[in-house]
Amino acid sequence: MSKSALIVEGGAMRGIFASGVLDAFMAEDFQPYDFAIGVSAGASNLVGYLSHSPKRSFQVITTMATDKTFFNPTRFAKGGNLVDVKWLWDESNQRFPFDSERLFSNIPLYAAVTNIDTGNADYYQVKPDTISKIIEATTALPIAYRETPCFSGGCYTDGGVADSIPVKEAYRQGARDITVILSHPLSYEMKPTKYPWLLKRLLSRYPNIAESMAVRASNYNQSLAFIRNPPSDARIRVIAPPEDFAIKRLTMDTTLLNTGYEMGKKAGEEHLAIQNGTYGLHDENCHFCF
């Protein structure tokens, strides 16, 4: 029996868009999926969604991810973390706790992480005893976060290094109706890294991570190609930011973040209207036929 899946891309502060989409879903108790896969900030967003915690991700992004304790270039220049993802996770659970019972009795949630030994993506189901390590690992931006989270016999870094949009993994797990929330507009294609030699130097301890970073653009664009031309037995629905979405990976401007959230909320509401047959398709999105 085929399954339905929800995929949420990461992108650090660009995750504000997905937080708006998922808040729109929660407002209508919309959750028709059999499982979900999140990457980096996408996994954090899904924790809020599957525990039914409206505005949690919005609050975490706008009030905590903009805090100097999380993002600190001066600390980074002195040899510390540019972004402290462990602090963000631990502190957010103190300030904005989620309903863990609801989360873990809900559909399975998987997070993509990148194995530092192989450079490939691994996909772990989030469970009570591993959630902290998995969320830390899937959001552990290489270079910007100097710790290397380890669990289940391996050590890991940001899932977006090896698989930013795990649509192929969802298909492999049996999903034939896949909804993807992207963090870039539909026109986006990732460009190859300009300085692969610098990556190799900065990541000399982890050569396979450097290699994965070097081919990341190619892998990302292959995922986009899979979305645009899915197998004949699959249907992929896409929710993406509008072309004027101005949020970057490390945007800290709360006005821009608020705008990005509202864009996500509107896109989520439009998606729900499409499912209800009350919102017409147009030329821009007809190739993702709903």
Short mmCIF file of all heavy atoms in Angstrom, two decimals, residues 171-236:
data_model
loop_
_atom_site.label_atom_id
_atom_site.label_comp_id
_atom_site.label_asym_id
_atom_site.label_seq_id
_atom_site.Cartn_x
_atom_site.Cartn_y
_atom_site.Cartn_z
N TYR A 171 10.41 8.37 -1.33
CA TYR A 171 9.96 7.42 -2.36
C TYR A 171 10.46 6.02 -2.04
O TYR A 171 9.72 5.03 -2.13
CB TYR A 171 10.45 7.88 -3.73
CG TYR A 171 9.95 7.04 -4.88
CD1 TYR A 171 8.70 7.27 -5.46
CD2 TYR A 171 10.74 6.01 -5.40
CE1 TYR A 171 8.25 6.49 -6.51
CE2 TYR A 171 10.29 5.23 -6.46
CZ TYR A 171 9.05 5.47 -7.01
OH TYR A 171 8.59 4.70 -8.06
N ARG A 172 11.73 5.92 -1.61
CA ARG A 172 12.31 4.62 -1.26
C ARG A 172 11.56 3.97 -0.11
O ARG A 172 11.40 2.74 -0.06
CB ARG A 172 13.79 4.79 -0.89
CG ARG A 172 14.56 3.48 -0.73
CD ARG A 172 15.91 3.70 -0.08
NE ARG A 172 15.79 4.12 1.31
CZ ARG A 172 15.53 3.29 2.32
NH1 ARG A 172 15.36 1.99 2.10
NH2 ARG A 172 15.45 3.74 3.56
N GLN A 173 11.04 4.80 0.81
CA GLN A 173 10.30 4.29 1.96
C GLN A 173 8.84 3.99 1.62
O GLN A 173 8.06 3.63 2.50
CB GLN A 173 10.36 5.28 3.12
CG GLN A 173 11.72 5.38 3.78
CD GLN A 173 11.66 6.10 5.13
OE1 GLN A 173 10.66 6.05 5.83
NE2 GLN A 173 12.74 6.77 5.50
N GLY A 174 8.47 4.12 0.36
CA GLY A 174 7.13 3.72 -0.06
C GLY A 174 6.15 4.84 -0.30
O GLY A 174 4.98 4.59 -0.63
N ALA A 175 6.58 6.09 -0.13
CA ALA A 175 5.67 7.21 -0.35
C ALA A 175 5.47 7.43 -1.86
O ALA A 175 6.44 7.50 -2.62
CB ALA A 175 6.21 8.49 0.28
N ARG A 176 4.22 7.55 -2.26
CA ARG A 176 3.90 7.84 -3.65
C ARG A 176 3.11 9.14 -3.78
O ARG A 176 2.84 9.59 -4.89
CB ARG A 176 3.10 6.67 -4.26
CG ARG A 176 3.90 5.37 -4.34
CD ARG A 176 5.12 5.51 -5.24
NE ARG A 176 5.91 4.28 -5.34
CZ ARG A 176 6.97 4.03 -4.58
NH1 ARG A 176 7.38 4.91 -3.66
NH2 ARG A 176 7.65 2.91 -4.73
N ASP A 177 2.72 9.69 -2.65
CA ASP A 177 2.08 11.02 -2.60
C ASP A 177 2.93 11.85 -1.65
O ASP A 177 2.89 11.65 -0.43
CB ASP A 177 0.65 10.90 -2.10
CG ASP A 177 -0.13 12.20 -2.22
OD1 ASP A 177 0.51 13.28 -2.32
OD2 ASP A 177 -1.37 12.16 -2.21
N ILE A 178 3.77 12.72 -2.21
CA ILE A 178 4.79 13.43 -1.42
C ILE A 178 4.56 14.93 -1.49
O ILE A 178 4.42 15.49 -2.59
CB ILE A 178 6.20 13.09 -1.94
CG1 ILE A 178 6.45 11.57 -1.92
CG2 ILE A 178 7.27 13.81 -1.11
CD1 ILE A 178 7.71 11.13 -2.63
N THR A 179 4.51 15.57 -0.34
CA THR A 179 4.41 17.03 -0.27
C THR A 179 5.75 17.56 0.22
O THR A 179 6.28 17.08 1.22
CB THR A 179 3.29 17.47 0.68
OG1 THR A 179 2.04 16.97 0.19
CG2 THR A 179 3.21 18.98 0.77
N VAL A 180 6.28 18.54 -0.50
CA VAL A 180 7.59 19.10 -0.18
C VAL A 180 7.45 20.59 0.13
O VAL A 180 6.88 21.34 -0.68
CB VAL A 180 8.58 18.93 -1.36
CG1 VAL A 180 9.95 19.48 -0.98
CG2 VAL A 180 8.69 17.47 -1.76
N ILE A 181 7.95 21.01 1.28
CA ILE A 181 8.03 22.43 1.60
C ILE A 181 9.47 22.87 1.40
O ILE A 181 10.37 22.44 2.12
CB ILE A 181 7.58 22.72 3.05
CG1 ILE A 181 6.17 22.19 3.30
CG2 ILE A 181 7.62 24.24 3.31
CD1 ILE A 181 5.68 22.37 4.73
N LEU A 182 9.69 23.70 0.39
CA LEU A 182 11.02 24.19 0.06
C LEU A 182 11.33 25.48 0.82
O LEU A 182 10.41 26.15 1.32
CB LEU A 182 11.14 24.44 -1.44
CG LEU A 182 10.99 23.21 -2.35
CD1 LEU A 182 11.01 23.63 -3.81
CD2 LEU A 182 12.09 22.19 -2.07
N SER A 183 12.60 25.85 0.84
CA SER A 183 12.97 27.12 1.48
C SER A 183 13.54 28.12 0.47
O SER A 183 14.02 29.18 0.84
CB SER A 183 13.97 26.88 2.61
OG SER A 183 15.17 26.31 2.13
N HIS A 184 13.47 27.74 -0.81
CA HIS A 184 13.83 28.65 -1.90
C HIS A 184 12.66 28.74 -2.88
O HIS A 184 11.87 27.79 -2.99
CB HIS A 184 15.04 28.12 -2.68
CG HIS A 184 16.35 28.22 -1.96
ND1 HIS A 184 17.01 29.42 -1.79
CD2 HIS A 184 17.12 27.27 -1.37
CE1 HIS A 184 18.14 29.21 -1.13
NE2 HIS A 184 18.24 27.92 -0.86
N PRO A 185 12.56 29.84 -3.63
CA PRO A 185 11.54 29.92 -4.68
C PRO A 185 11.71 28.84 -5.73
O PRO A 185 12.78 28.22 -5.86
CB PRO A 185 11.77 31.32 -5.27
CG PRO A 185 12.45 32.10 -4.18
CD PRO A 185 13.30 31.10 -3.47
N LEU A 186 10.66 28.62 -6.52
CA LEU A 186 10.66 27.55 -7.51
C LEU A 186 11.76 27.71 -8.56
O LEU A 186 12.24 26.72 -9.12
CB LEU A 186 9.31 27.49 -8.23
CG LEU A 186 8.12 26.99 -7.39
CD1 LEU A 186 6.84 27.08 -8.22
CD2 LEU A 186 8.35 25.57 -6.92
N SER A 187 12.17 28.94 -8.82
CA SER A 187 13.15 29.18 -9.87
C SER A 187 14.58 28.85 -9.43
O SER A 187 15.49 28.82 -10.25
CB SER A 187 13.11 30.65 -10.30
OG SER A 187 13.48 31.48 -9.21
N TYR A 188 14.77 28.59 -8.15
CA TYR A 188 16.13 28.43 -7.60
C TYR A 188 16.79 27.14 -8.08
O TYR A 188 16.17 26.07 -8.10
CB TYR A 188 16.07 28.43 -6.08
CG TYR A 188 17.40 28.22 -5.40
CD1 TYR A 188 18.33 29.25 -5.30
CD2 TYR A 188 17.74 26.98 -4.87
CE1 TYR A 188 19.56 29.06 -4.67
CE2 TYR A 188 18.96 26.77 -4.24
CZ TYR A 188 19.86 27.81 -4.15
OH TYR A 188 21.06 27.61 -3.53
N GLU A 189 18.05 27.24 -8.44
CA GLU A 189 18.92 26.08 -8.63
C GLU A 189 20.24 26.40 -7.95
O GLU A 189 20.74 27.52 -8.04
CB GLU A 189 19.12 25.77 -10.10
CG GLU A 189 17.88 25.18 -10.75
CD GLU A 189 18.21 24.23 -11.89
OE1 GLU A 189 19.39 24.18 -12.30
OE2 GLU A 189 17.28 23.56 -12.37
N MET A 190 20.80 25.43 -7.26
CA MET A 190 22.02 25.67 -6.50
C MET A 190 23.22 25.71 -7.44
O MET A 190 23.37 24.86 -8.32
CB MET A 190 22.20 24.60 -5.43
CG MET A 190 23.36 24.87 -4.49
SD MET A 190 23.49 23.66 -3.14
CE MET A 190 22.09 24.15 -2.11
N LYS A 191 24.08 26.69 -7.21
CA LYS A 191 25.31 26.82 -8.01
C LYS A 191 26.46 26.10 -7.32
O LYS A 191 26.53 26.06 -6.09
CB LYS A 191 25.65 28.30 -8.19
CG LYS A 191 24.60 29.07 -8.98
CD LYS A 191 24.96 30.54 -9.09
CE LYS A 191 23.88 31.29 -9.88
NZ LYS A 191 24.18 32.75 -9.96
N PRO A 192 27.36 25.53 -8.10
CA PRO A 192 28.51 24.82 -7.50
C PRO A 192 29.33 25.75 -6.61
O PRO A 192 29.39 26.97 -6.85
CB PRO A 192 29.33 24.38 -8.72
CG PRO A 192 28.36 24.37 -9.85
CD PRO A 192 27.37 25.47 -9.56
N THR A 193 29.95 25.18 -5.60
CA THR A 193 30.79 25.99 -4.72
C THR A 193 31.95 26.61 -5.49
O THR A 193 32.54 25.97 -6.37
CB THR A 193 31.33 25.14 -3.54
OG1 THR A 193 32.14 25.95 -2.72
CG2 THR A 193 32.15 23.96 -4.04
N LYS A 194 32.25 27.84 -5.18
CA LYS A 194 33.30 28.57 -5.92
C LYS A 194 34.71 28.17 -5.49
O LYS A 194 35.65 28.28 -6.26
CB LYS A 194 33.13 30.08 -5.70
CG LYS A 194 31.89 30.67 -6.35
CD LYS A 194 31.83 32.17 -6.11
CE LYS A 194 30.61 32.80 -6.76
NZ LYS A 194 30.56 34.27 -6.50
N TYR A 195 34.84 27.71 -4.24
CA TYR A 195 36.18 27.46 -3.71
C TYR A 195 36.27 26.06 -3.10
O TYR A 195 36.43 25.92 -1.87
CB TYR A 195 36.54 28.52 -2.67
CG TYR A 195 36.38 29.93 -3.16
CD1 TYR A 195 35.33 30.73 -2.71
CD2 TYR A 195 37.26 30.46 -4.11
CE1 TYR A 195 35.18 32.04 -3.17
CE2 TYR A 195 37.10 31.76 -4.58
CZ TYR A 195 36.06 32.54 -4.11
OH TYR A 195 35.91 33.82 -4.58
N PRO A 196 36.18 25.00 -3.91
CA PRO A 196 36.26 23.64 -3.35
C PRO A 196 37.58 23.37 -2.63
O PRO A 196 37.61 22.63 -1.65
CB PRO A 196 36.11 22.74 -4.59
CG PRO A 196 36.45 23.61 -5.77
CD PRO A 196 36.03 25.00 -5.38
N TRP A 197 38.65 24.02 -3.07
CA TRP A 197 39.94 23.83 -2.41
C TRP A 197 39.92 24.35 -0.97
O TRP A 197 40.56 23.77 -0.08
CB TRP A 197 41.05 24.54 -3.21
CG TRP A 197 40.84 26.02 -3.34
CD1 TRP A 197 40.20 26.67 -4.33
CD2 TRP A 197 41.26 27.03 -2.41
NE1 TRP A 197 40.17 28.03 -4.12
CE2 TRP A 197 40.83 28.28 -2.93
CE3 TRP A 197 41.96 27.02 -1.21
CZ2 TRP A 197 41.07 29.49 -2.29
CZ3 TRP A 197 42.20 28.22 -0.56
CH2 TRP A 197 41.77 29.44 -1.10
N LEU A 198 39.15 25.43 -0.76
CA LEU A 198 39.06 26.00 0.58
C LEU A 198 38.26 25.06 1.49
O LEU A 198 38.62 24.87 2.67
CB LEU A 198 38.41 27.38 0.52
CG LEU A 198 38.26 28.12 1.86
CD1 LEU A 198 39.62 28.31 2.52
CD2 LEU A 198 37.57 29.47 1.65
N LEU A 199 37.19 24.48 0.95
CA LEU A 199 36.41 23.52 1.73
C LEU A 199 37.29 22.35 2.15
O LEU A 199 37.24 21.90 3.30
CB LEU A 199 35.23 23.01 0.90
CG LEU A 199 34.00 23.91 0.80
CD1 LEU A 199 32.97 23.28 -0.13
CD2 LEU A 199 33.39 24.13 2.18
N LYS A 200 38.10 21.85 1.22
CA LYS A 200 38.97 20.72 1.55
C LYS A 200 39.95 21.09 2.65
O LYS A 200 40.27 20.28 3.52
CB LYS A 200 39.72 20.27 0.29
CG LYS A 200 38.83 19.54 -0.70
CD LYS A 200 39.64 19.01 -1.87
CE LYS A 200 38.75 18.24 -2.84
NZ LYS A 200 39.51 17.70 -3.98
N ARG A 201 40.41 22.33 2.61
CA ARG A 201 41.35 22.78 3.63
C ARG A 201 40.65 22.92 4.99
O ARG A 201 41.18 22.48 6.02
CB ARG A 201 41.95 24.11 3.20
CG ARG A 201 43.02 24.64 4.12
CD ARG A 201 43.64 25.89 3.55
NE ARG A 201 44.60 26.50 4.46
CZ ARG A 201 45.26 27.62 4.22
NH1 ARG A 201 45.08 28.25 3.07
NH2 ARG A 201 46.10 28.11 5.10
N LEU A 202 39.47 23.55 4.98
CA LEU A 202 38.76 23.78 6.24
C LEU A 202 38.25 22.47 6.85
O LEU A 202 38.08 22.36 8.06
CB LEU A 202 37.59 24.74 6.01
CG LEU A 202 37.97 26.19 5.69
CD1 LEU A 202 36.75 26.97 5.27
CD2 LEU A 202 38.64 26.86 6.89
N LEU A 203 37.97 21.51 5.99
CA LEU A 203 37.41 20.23 6.44
C LEU A 203 38.42 19.10 6.26
O LEU A 203 38.05 17.96 5.98
CB LEU A 203 36.12 19.92 5.68
CG LEU A 203 34.95 20.86 5.96
CD1 LEU A 203 33.86 20.71 4.90
CD2 LEU A 203 34.37 20.61 7.35
N SER A 204 39.67 19.41 6.44
CA SER A 204 40.73 18.42 6.20
C SER A 204 40.60 17.19 7.11
O SER A 204 41.01 16.09 6.73
CB SER A 204 42.11 19.06 6.39
OG SER A 204 42.25 19.60 7.70
N ARG A 205 40.00 17.38 8.29
CA ARG A 205 39.80 16.24 9.20
C ARG A 205 38.71 15.30 8.70
O ARG A 205 38.65 14.14 9.10
CB ARG A 205 39.44 16.73 10.60
CG ARG A 205 40.57 17.43 11.33
CD ARG A 205 40.08 18.02 12.64
NE ARG A 205 39.47 17.02 13.52
CZ ARG A 205 38.65 17.31 14.51
NH1 ARG A 205 38.31 18.57 14.76
NH2 ARG A 205 38.15 16.35 15.27
N TYR A 206 37.83 15.82 7.84
CA TYR A 206 36.68 15.05 7.37
C TYR A 206 36.61 15.12 5.84
O TYR A 206 35.77 15.81 5.27
CB TYR A 206 35.38 15.59 7.98
CG TYR A 206 35.42 15.72 9.48
CD1 TYR A 206 35.36 16.98 10.09
CD2 TYR A 206 35.51 14.59 10.29
CE1 TYR A 206 35.41 17.11 11.47
CE2 TYR A 206 35.55 14.71 11.68
CZ TYR A 206 35.50 15.97 12.26
OH TYR A 206 35.54 16.09 13.62
N PRO A 207 37.51 14.41 5.15
CA PRO A 207 37.58 14.52 3.69
C PRO A 207 36.30 14.14 2.96
O PRO A 207 35.98 14.73 1.92
CB PRO A 207 38.73 13.58 3.32
CG PRO A 207 38.89 12.67 4.49
CD PRO A 207 38.51 13.46 5.68
N ASN A 208 35.53 13.20 3.51
CA ASN A 208 34.29 12.81 2.83
C ASN A 208 33.20 13.86 2.98
O ASN A 208 32.33 13.98 2.12
CB ASN A 208 33.80 11.45 3.35
CG ASN A 208 34.64 10.31 2.81
OD1 ASN A 208 35.17 10.40 1.70
ND2 ASN A 208 34.78 9.24 3.58
N ILE A 209 33.26 14.64 4.07
CA ILE A 209 32.34 15.77 4.20
C ILE A 209 32.71 16.85 3.19
O ILE A 209 31.85 17.44 2.53
CB ILE A 209 32.35 16.34 5.63
CG1 ILE A 209 31.82 15.31 6.62
CG2 ILE A 209 31.52 17.62 5.70
CD1 ILE A 209 30.39 14.88 6.39
N ALA A 210 34.00 17.09 3.04
CA ALA A 210 34.45 18.06 2.04
C ALA A 210 33.99 17.65 0.64
O ALA A 210 33.55 18.49 -0.16
CB ALA A 210 35.97 18.19 2.08
N GLU A 211 34.09 16.36 0.35
CA GLU A 211 33.66 15.86 -0.96
C GLU A 211 32.15 16.03 -1.14
O GLU A 211 31.67 16.45 -2.21
CB GLU A 211 34.04 14.38 -1.10
CG GLU A 211 33.62 13.75 -2.42
CD GLU A 211 34.25 14.41 -3.64
OE1 GLU A 211 35.34 14.99 -3.51
OE2 GLU A 211 33.63 14.34 -4.72
N SER A 212 31.38 15.74 -0.10
CA SER A 212 29.92 15.92 -0.17
C SER A 212 29.56 17.38 -0.37
O SER A 212 28.62 17.71 -1.11
CB SER A 212 29.26 15.38 1.10
OG SER A 212 29.32 13.98 1.14
N MET A 213 30.29 18.27 0.31
CA MET A 213 30.05 19.70 0.12
C MET A 213 30.36 20.11 -1.32
O MET A 213 29.67 20.94 -1.92
CB MET A 213 30.91 20.51 1.09
CG MET A 213 30.53 20.35 2.55
SD MET A 213 29.06 21.31 3.01
CE MET A 213 29.78 22.95 3.14
N ALA A 214 31.39 19.51 -1.90
CA ALA A 214 31.80 19.86 -3.26
C ALA A 214 30.75 19.46 -4.29
O ALA A 214 30.59 20.13 -5.31
CB ALA A 214 33.14 19.21 -3.59
N VAL A 215 30.02 18.36 -4.03
CA VAL A 215 29.01 17.89 -4.99
C VAL A 215 27.59 18.20 -4.52
O VAL A 215 26.62 17.73 -5.11
CB VAL A 215 29.15 16.37 -5.25
CG1 VAL A 215 30.52 16.05 -5.83
CG2 VAL A 215 28.91 15.56 -3.98
N ARG A 216 27.49 19.02 -3.49
CA ARG A 216 26.17 19.31 -2.91
C ARG A 216 25.23 19.94 -3.93
O ARG A 216 24.06 19.58 -4.01
CB ARG A 216 26.33 20.23 -1.70
CG ARG A 216 25.00 20.49 -1.00
CD ARG A 216 25.15 21.30 0.26
NE ARG A 216 23.84 21.58 0.83
CZ ARG A 216 23.40 22.76 1.17
NH1 ARG A 216 24.18 23.83 1.02
NH2 ARG A 216 22.19 22.93 1.67
N ALA A 217 25.73 20.88 -4.71
CA ALA A 217 24.87 21.56 -5.69
C ALA A 217 24.31 20.57 -6.69
O ALA A 217 23.11 20.61 -7.04
CB ALA A 217 25.66 22.66 -6.40
N SER A 218 25.14 19.66 -7.16
CA SER A 218 24.69 18.65 -8.12
C SER A 218 23.60 17.77 -7.51
O SER A 218 22.57 17.50 -8.13
CB SER A 218 25.87 17.79 -8.58
OG SER A 218 25.44 16.75 -9.42
N ASN A 219 23.81 17.31 -6.27
CA ASN A 219 22.81 16.48 -5.59
C ASN A 219 21.51 17.24 -5.36
O ASN A 219 20.42 16.69 -5.52
CB ASN A 219 23.37 15.98 -4.26
CG ASN A 219 24.46 14.95 -4.43
OD1 ASN A 219 24.57 14.31 -5.48
ND2 ASN A 219 25.29 14.78 -3.41
N TYR A 220 21.65 18.51 -4.97
CA TYR A 220 20.47 19.34 -4.72
C TYR A 220 19.64 19.47 -6.00
O TYR A 220 18.42 19.30 -6.00
CB TYR A 220 20.91 20.71 -4.22
CG TYR A 220 19.78 21.60 -3.76
CD1 TYR A 220 19.44 21.68 -2.42
CD2 TYR A 220 19.06 22.40 -4.66
CE1 TYR A 220 18.41 22.49 -1.98
CE2 TYR A 220 18.03 23.21 -4.23
CZ TYR A 220 17.71 23.26 -2.89
OH TYR A 220 16.68 24.06 -2.47
N ASN A 221 20.31 19.78 -7.08
CA ASN A 221 19.60 19.99 -8.34
C ASN A 221 19.01 18.70 -8.88
O ASN A 221 17.98 18.71 -9.57
CB ASN A 221 20.54 20.65 -9.36
CG ASN A 221 20.93 22.06 -8.93
OD1 ASN A 221 20.20 22.73 -8.20
ND2 ASN A 221 22.09 22.52 -9.38
N GLN A 222 19.63 17.55 -8.55
CA GLN A 222 19.05 16.26 -8.92
C GLN A 222 17.75 16.02 -8.16
O GLN A 222 16.79 15.46 -8.70
CB GLN A 222 20.03 15.13 -8.64
CG GLN A 222 21.18 15.05 -9.63
CD GLN A 222 22.18 13.97 -9.27
OE1 GLN A 222 21.84 12.96 -8.67
NE2 GLN A 222 23.43 14.18 -9.65
N SER A 223 17.70 16.47 -6.90
CA SER A 223 16.45 16.36 -6.14
C SER A 223 15.36 17.23 -6.76
O SER A 223 14.20 16.82 -6.85
CB SER A 223 16.68 16.75 -4.68
OG SER A 223 17.52 15.84 -4.02
N LEU A 224 15.73 18.44 -7.20
CA LEU A 224 14.77 19.30 -7.88
C LEU A 224 14.27 18.64 -9.16
O LEU A 224 13.07 18.72 -9.49
CB LEU A 224 15.39 20.66 -8.20
CG LEU A 224 15.70 21.58 -7.01
CD1 LEU A 224 16.36 22.86 -7.52
CD2 LEU A 224 14.44 21.91 -6.22
N ALA A 225 15.16 17.99 -9.89
CA ALA A 225 14.77 17.31 -11.13
C ALA A 225 13.81 16.16 -10.83
O ALA A 225 12.84 15.93 -11.58
CB ALA A 225 16.01 16.79 -11.85
N PHE A 226 14.04 15.46 -9.73
CA PHE A 226 13.14 14.37 -9.31
C PHE A 226 11.75 14.93 -8.99
O PHE A 226 10.73 14.33 -9.33
CB PHE A 226 13.72 13.67 -8.09
CG PHE A 226 12.97 12.45 -7.65
CD1 PHE A 226 13.30 11.20 -8.14
CD2 PHE A 226 11.94 12.54 -6.71
CE1 PHE A 226 12.61 10.06 -7.73
CE2 PHE A 226 11.25 11.42 -6.30
CZ PHE A 226 11.58 10.17 -6.81
N ILE A 227 11.74 16.10 -8.34
CA ILE A 227 10.47 16.75 -8.00
C ILE A 227 9.72 17.16 -9.27
O ILE A 227 8.51 16.95 -9.40
CB ILE A 227 10.72 17.98 -7.11
CG1 ILE A 227 11.15 17.53 -5.70
CG2 ILE A 227 9.49 18.86 -7.02
CD1 ILE A 227 11.66 18.66 -4.82
N ARG A 228 10.44 17.72 -10.22
CA ARG A 228 9.80 18.22 -11.44
C ARG A 228 9.38 17.09 -12.38
O ARG A 228 8.45 17.24 -13.15
CB ARG A 228 10.76 19.18 -12.15
CG ARG A 228 11.03 20.45 -11.37
CD ARG A 228 11.84 21.46 -12.17
NE ARG A 228 11.98 22.72 -11.43
CZ ARG A 228 13.12 23.17 -10.94
NH1 ARG A 228 14.24 22.48 -11.13
NH2 ARG A 228 13.17 24.32 -10.26
N ASN A 229 10.10 15.98 -12.29
CA ASN A 229 9.80 14.83 -13.16
C ASN A 229 9.76 13.56 -12.33
O ASN A 229 10.65 12.71 -12.43
CB ASN A 229 10.85 14.71 -14.26
CG ASN A 229 10.89 15.92 -15.16
OD1 ASN A 229 10.04 16.11 -16.01
ND2 ASN A 229 11.90 16.76 -14.95
N PRO A 230 8.74 13.42 -11.49
CA PRO A 230 8.69 12.26 -10.59
C PRO A 230 8.41 10.97 -11.37
O PRO A 230 7.94 11.01 -12.52
CB PRO A 230 7.53 12.60 -9.65
CG PRO A 230 6.66 13.51 -10.44
CD PRO A 230 7.58 14.31 -11.31
N PRO A 231 8.66 9.82 -10.75
CA PRO A 231 8.29 8.55 -11.38
C PRO A 231 6.80 8.53 -11.70
O PRO A 231 6.00 9.23 -11.06
CB PRO A 231 8.65 7.52 -10.31
CG PRO A 231 9.70 8.18 -9.47
CD PRO A 231 9.34 9.63 -9.46
N SER A 232 6.43 7.72 -12.67
CA SER A 232 5.04 7.72 -13.15
C SER A 232 4.04 7.30 -12.08
O SER A 232 2.86 7.64 -12.17
CB SER A 232 4.92 6.80 -14.36
OG SER A 232 5.30 5.47 -14.03
N ASP A 233 4.52 6.58 -11.05
CA ASP A 233 3.59 6.13 -10.01
C ASP A 233 3.57 7.06 -8.80
O ASP A 233 2.99 6.70 -7.77
CB ASP A 233 3.94 4.71 -9.56
CG ASP A 233 5.33 4.61 -8.93
OD1 ASP A 233 6.15 5.53 -9.13
OD2 ASP A 233 5.59 3.60 -8.24
N ALA A 234 4.18 8.23 -8.92
CA ALA A 234 4.25 9.15 -7.77
C ALA A 234 3.69 10.52 -8.13
O ALA A 234 3.73 10.95 -9.29
CB ALA A 234 5.69 9.30 -7.30
N ARG A 235 3.17 11.19 -7.12
CA ARG A 235 2.71 12.57 -7.26
C ARG A 235 3.42 13.41 -6.21
O ARG A 235 3.46 13.04 -5.04
CB ARG A 235 1.20 12.67 -7.08
CG ARG A 235 0.69 14.11 -7.10
CD ARG A 235 -0.81 14.19 -7.29
NE ARG A 235 -1.55 13.47 -6.27
CZ ARG A 235 -2.89 13.52 -6.17
NH1 ARG A 235 -3.58 14.21 -7.05
NH2 ARG A 235 -3.51 12.86 -5.21
N ILE A 236 4.01 14.50 -6.65
CA ILE A 236 4.74 15.37 -5.73
C ILE A 236 4.13 16.76 -5.75
O ILE A 236 3.99 17.39 -6.80
CB ILE A 236 6.24 15.44 -6.10
CG1 ILE A 236 6.87 14.04 -6.02
CG2 ILE A 236 6.97 16.40 -5.16
CD1 ILE A 236 8.35 13.99 -6.34
#
